[in-house]
Amino acid sequence: RQNKSVILYMRYITLTEEEQNLLQTMKKETTSKILLPRIECILLSHQGMKVKSLSAYLEVVPKTIYEWMDLWEKEGISGILP
């Protein structure tokens, strides 16, 4: 039986090419200190970065990473906008 937290740390976001392009453009253009880490979280997750690593890199608790992922999965780009 695996520990549930281990399974959660393996969560990733899968993006379409269009979503990747949109997020890359937004990352270059945004001046929002709130939006930038959310964009980076989604892009880096798509590239295979684990939740624990995302949490350390973006200096937020894992719960925040999961919340951003949930918002993305439920609402797309509008979900992560401040």
Side-chain angles (χ1 to χ4, degrees):
R1 181 171 171 235
Q2 287 188 333
N3 182 332
K4 186 175 181 184
S5 65
V6 172
I7 294 169
L8 290 176
Y9 278 119
M10 298 301 291
R11 183 174 173 189
Y12 299 101
I13 296 293
T14 301
L15 300 172
T16 65
E17 188 173 339
E18 183 179 345
E19 290 169 331
Q20 289 177 69
N21 292 338
L22 174 62
L23 289 171
Q24 290 288 359
T25 300
M26 290 178 68
K27 181 180 173 183
K28 291 175 189 170
E29 295 177 358
T30 190
T31 57
S32 171
K33 292 182 180 183
I34 295 171
L35 181 57
L36 185 59
R38 295 175 184 188
I39 292 171
E40 289 182 320
C41 171
I42 301 304
L43 286 169
L44 291 170
S45 174
H46 174 74
Q47 294 170 16
M49 188 178 277
K50 295 178 183 176
V51 170
K52 188 173 183 178
S53 297
L54 286 167
S55 175
Y57 177 73
L58 297 171
E59 299 178 344
V60 296
V61 295
K63 182 179 181 215
T64 300
I65 300 296
Y66 294 123
E67 288 171 356
W68 292 343
M69 289 178 162
D70 288 343
L71 288 168
W72 175 264
E73 289 175 343
K74 288 177 187 165
E75 302 175 41
I77 194 65
S78 63
I80 63 167
L81 294 175

